[in-house]
């Protein structure tokens, strides 16, 4: 009778447990019983071997199916998987993440491509450009592929050579207990090659800082604080990695006539005393040219009129704001003697009937203060 314990029992899981849960259980126990953590404990070494054997079987669908049907007999002399277990075969796939915790490194895979850094560019545009949209050419200083070596980092006419330390593998192996452990080669940093004759233009980096000119489409409706993202227009990547992104931050210059409030445009227009009192038709500037607007008789200073759909259209084109026109009644200055005389006569004739705001205000004063 085979004296081996049931593999499910070894890992502390049930027969219907998923492969992911089996891996979690194995990882926890393997960290606990690893020989390097228990150098003086022979029982821990045997326990670790037992765990590894159970793991190899239960994470292989074919082996697991045979084990569930025939038990340990599936791996005996007459079984389909006779020949025992190789604890170092496929070692990197099974134990790579664990040895990262033991030794502070992974299993020494070659360095992957590195994505370039993102960049930010501040762009000033006019008020009209923000409202209607535009296209601007900008120059961005960034790291780009070296033209001399075409990004290889090597002196023209030369090429990288195989790293003598790792023999081009990008990783070196050493003995750790009864396991062979691999880690990234420090000489070539996992590349597998080294540059003996570096390019003089980029000092072997394969990248140089230079200005890159590109066109940026500014959609209509942007405002100060808007940010545009241009994919892949940031720093170039390393070892063939993708480029970073470029973020364009918008700053809108002030306008001499208009102030923006969301999608609305605000404009203040002075009118004289006669226009306010008798009414008038005036020209009002808008972003699309002048329009006529009627001022009703008796208009007070600060009155706001609304011009529909004369504001800003949002960046998606779904909504458009209005233009708000605030009229400011201008008080005349530098009056002639005759003008002053006429105004005094007007005041004497007017009384309270032609000054309804004053009448209402002073009535409230009397009610409060007596």
């Amino acid at each position: 009778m085979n004296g081996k314990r049931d593999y499910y029992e070894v890992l502390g899981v049930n027969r219907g447990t998923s492969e992911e849960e089996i891996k979690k259980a194995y990882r926890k126990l393997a960290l606990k019983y690893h020989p390097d953590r228990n150098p003086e404990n022979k029982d821990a070494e045997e326990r670790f071997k037992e765990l590894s054997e159970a793991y190899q079987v239960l994470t292989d669908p074919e082996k697991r199916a045979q084990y569930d049907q025939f038990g340990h007999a599936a791996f005996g002399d007459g079984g389909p998987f006779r020949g025992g277990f190789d604890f170092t075969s496929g070692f990197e796939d099974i134990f790579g993440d664990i040895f990262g915790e033991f030794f502070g490194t992974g299993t020494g895979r070659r360095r992957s491509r590195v994505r370039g850094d993102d960049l930010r560019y501040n762009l000033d545009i006019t008020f009209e450009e923000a409202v209607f949209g535009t296209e601007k050419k900008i120059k961005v200083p960034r790291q780009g592929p070296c033209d001399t070596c075409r990004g290889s980092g090597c002196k023209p006419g030369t090429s990288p050579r195989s790293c003598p330390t790792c023999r081009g593998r990008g990783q070196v192996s050493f003995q750790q207990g009864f396991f062979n452990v691999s880690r990234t080669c420090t000489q070539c940093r996992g590349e597998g090659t080294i540059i003996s004759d570096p390019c003089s233009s980029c000092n072997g980096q394969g990248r140089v800082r230079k200005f890159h000119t590109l066109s940026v489409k500014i959609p209509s409706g942007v405002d100060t604080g808007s940010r545009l993202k241009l994919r892949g227009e940031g720093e170039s990547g390393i070892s063939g990695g993708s480029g970073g992104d470029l973020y364009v931050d918008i700053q809108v210059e002030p306008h001499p006539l208009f102030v923006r409030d969301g999608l609305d445009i605000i404009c203040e227009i002075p009118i004289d005393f006669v226009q306010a009192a008798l009414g008038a038709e005036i020209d009002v500037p808008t972003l699309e040219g002048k329009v006529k607007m009627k001022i009703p008789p008796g208009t007070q200073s600060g009155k706001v009129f609304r011009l529909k759909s004369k504001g800003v259209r949002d960046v998606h084109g779904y909504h458009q704001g209005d233009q708000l026109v605030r009229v400011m009644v201008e008080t005349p200055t530098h009056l002639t003697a005759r003008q002053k005389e006429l105004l005094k006569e007007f005041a004497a004739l007017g009384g309270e009937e032609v000054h309804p705001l004053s009448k209402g205000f002073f009535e409230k004063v009397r009610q409060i203060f007596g």
Side-chain angles (χ1 to χ4, degrees):
M1 177 142 181
N2 197 313
K4 288 186 177 182
R5 287 202 298 157
D6 179 77
Y7 286 147
Y8 292 99
E9 180 185 343
V10 169
L11 294 174
V13 298
N14 298 320
R15 285 190 171 269
T17 301
S18 66
E19 182 178 333
E20 186 62 31
E21 291 300 319
I22 289 174
K23 288 181 178 180
K24 287 182 181 179
Y26 167 73
R27 178 182 175 82
K28 180 179 178 181
L29 294 171
L31 287 170
K32 179 179 179 181
Y33 291 105
H34 191 278
D36 289 324
R37 289 192 169 183
N38 305 273
E40 305 298 327
N41 189 342
K42 284 291 182 182
D43 291 339
E45 183 175 328
E46 293 302 318
R47 183 83 168 90
F48 184 76
K49 288 182 180 180
E50 185 182 40
L51 289 167
S52 301
E53 182 178 318
Y55 175 86
Q56 289 188 43
V57 171
L58 298 185
T59 55
D60 184 310
E62 187 178 358
K63 288 182 179 180
R64 184 175 181 179
Q66 291 291 327
Y67 177 74
D68 288 344
Q69 184 174 1
F70 301 108
H72 291 294
F75 309 97
D77 290 339
F81 300 105
R82 60 184 177 277
F85 298 91
D86 180 3
F87 292 105
T88 61
S89 176
F91 181 78
E92 291 182 5
D93 293 335
I94 300 176
F95 303 112
D97 57 341
I98 295 177
F99 278 91
E101 293 188 32
F102 290 152
F103 310 117
T105 181
T107 56
R109 296 180 178 88
R110 294 194 179 197
R111 187 176 61 182
S112 60
R113 297 174 178 177
V114 180
R115 180 182 180 274
D117 292 333
D118 294 335
L119 295 177
R120 191 181 74 176
Y121 186 93
N122 295 325
L123 179 62
D124 293 334
I125 61 175
T126 67
F127 194 91
E128 287 84 357
E129 288 173 335
V131 172
F132 297 112
T134 185
E135 187 167 341
K136 307 283 281 188
K137 285 190 177 297
I138 62 174
K139 287 186 176 181
V140 181
R142 68 178 189 181
Q143 293 281 2
C146 175
D147 294 329
T148 303
C149 65
R150 296 185 179 180
S152 70
C154 299
K155 182 179 179 181
T158 68
S159 59
R161 64 184 180 89
S162 179
C163 175
T165 301
C166 65
R167 298 179 181 179
R169 296 179 61 245
Q171 53 187 356
V172 292
S173 302
F174 61 94
Q175 193 73 23
Q176 183 73 31
F178 59 90
F179 291 105
N180 284 323
V181 181
S182 297
R183 64 172 45 166
T184 302
C185 176
T186 56
Q187 183 170 357
C188 67
R189 298 181 181 179
E191 292 292 333
T193 58
I194 58 175
I195 298 175
S196 300
D197 299 308
C199 171
S200 59
S201 298
C202 64
N203 295 320
Q205 298 300 311
R207 302 191 304 168
V208 293
R209 181 162 290 279
K210 52 188 177 181
F211 281 95
H212 175 61
T213 302
L214 67 156
S215 295
V216 181
K217 289 185 178 181
I218 311 297
S220 60
V222 298
D223 199 358
T224 292
S226 296
R227 168 174 281 190
L228 308 178
K229 179 179 180 179
L230 280 67
R231 293 187 179 277
E233 295 293 351
E235 302 277 22
S236 63
I238 300 174
S239 299
S242 61
D245 298 327
L246 173 64
Y247 292 91
V248 179
D249 291 335
I250 302 297
Q251 178 72 36
V252 181
E253 298 171 354
H255 194 279
L257 295 179
F258 305 116
V259 176
R260 182 169 171 177
D261 181 16
L263 296 181
D264 291 335
I265 297 291
I266 300 173
C267 177
E268 289 189 349
I269 297 181
I271 60 174
D272 61 39
F273 171 76
V274 175
Q275 289 174 317
L278 303 181
E281 187 175 68
I282 63 174
D283 289 327
V284 175
T286 73
L287 289 169
E288 298 175 340
K290 292 181 179 180
V291 298
K292 295 289 186 180
M293 188 180 79
K294 288 185 177 182
I295 303 294
T299 295
Q300 304 299 317
S301 185
K303 173 69 175 178
V304 176
F305 298 90
R306 184 180 296 270
L307 300 177
K308 282 287 188 181
S309 302
K310 293 296 183 181
V312 182
R313 187 175 295 277
D314 69 53
V315 292
H316 303 293
Y318 299 145
H319 306 285
Q320 185 169 10
D322 304 325
Q323 178 165 322
L324 306 179
V325 181
R326 181 183 291 115
V327 295
M328 308 300 294
V329 179
E330 188 174 17
T331 302
T333 59
H334 307 295
L335 298 174
T336 66
R338 178 58 178 158
Q339 288 172 330
K340 291 179 181 179
E341 183 180 345
L342 290 174
L343 284 177
K344 289 179 180 178
E345 183 179 349
F346 169 78
L349 293 173
E352 294 181 345
E353 296 303 323
V354 297
H355 298 98
L357 294 180
S358 297
K359 178 182 178 181
F361 174 77
F362 288 112
E363 179 64 30
K364 291 176 182 178
V365 170
R366 282 194 294 270
Q367 290 176 0
I368 296 174
F369 298 104

